[in-house]
Amino acid sequence: MENFITIKENVIAEITEKKSKFIANLIKVENKQDAEEKINKIKKTYHDARHNCVAYRIIEENKIIEKSSDDGEPSGTAGGPMLNILQKNNLCNILVIVTRYFGGVLLGTGGLVRAYSKAVQEGLAASKVILKQKGIALKITTDYTGLGKIQYIAGERNIPVLDSEYTDKVVMKLLVPVQDVGSVQKAITEGTNGRAGIEKDQELYYAVIDGKVITFDH
C-alpha cells in the first residue's frame, strides 16, 4: 500500500483491573514472519503469565493480513476486541500483545473485554501515531534559471527537499509521493521547458513528524 497509519516506536503500557495486571506491548512489525517471531519472544519474556493475547494487522503484497488470539481467555474477550481497536484506528504493520497476570478475581466476559481494550487504548495514548507514505526520491538537475520554478512546484505541493547541491548547476533531491511522481515530473518538465534532468533515485517510505521528514527502509 502506498500510505498507511502506524506507530513510530514500540510502546509498553500497563493497567490493573481487580488485582489482575494487564501489560500491553505495541510493536512495529514489517511482515507476518516478523510478527510471529516477536510473539514468540514476548511469550518467552512473560512465560510466567496466565495469558498472552495477540492481535495484529500487517500489509503484505498490498493486502492486509489480520490475526487475533484469546490465548485461553473466553472466546471473543481479548484478541477480537484488541483487533477491533486496530481496525477502528486504521493501524497497520502493528502487533499488540496484552499479557495478563491473574490477580485472583474473576472479571467476567464484559470485564475482560473492557480490560483488554483499555490496555490497548492506553498503549495507543502513549504512542506516536504516524502516516507512513511510499515515496520516490527524484534527483533533479537544473540551471539556476529553472531553480525558482522547481522550488515553487515543491512548495505548492508540499514536497520535501531532501538535499540540494549548488555548483555550476543545481542538483536537488525531492521526495515525491509515489502516486504523484508522474504529475510532478510533468510539471517540472513543463515549468523548465524541458531543461531540467529528472532521475528516479530510490524508493522509500517516509513520514512527516513534528515538521521534520523521517525516512524508513520499509
Side-chain angles (χ1 to χ4, degrees), residues 135-192:
I136 302 288
L138 293 182
K139 184 179 178 181
I140 315 296
T141 304
T142 183
D143 54 27
Y144 283 86
T145 304
L147 175 60
K149 186 62 179 179
I150 295 170
Q151 290 174 327
Y152 174 79
I153 291 169
E156 184 182 43
R157 296 170 179 247
N158 292 317
I159 296 172
V161 179
L162 296 180
D163 193 23
S164 298
E165 182 181 331
Y166 299 90
T167 56
D168 57 322
K169 296 277 188 180
V170 179
V171 180
M172 303 174 69
K173 190 177 287 187
L174 305 183
L175 184 51
V176 182
V178 67
Q179 69 271 16
D180 296 335
V181 168
S183 64
V184 170
Q185 286 179 308
K186 182 180 178 181
I188 291 173
T189 299
E190 291 177 351
T192 62

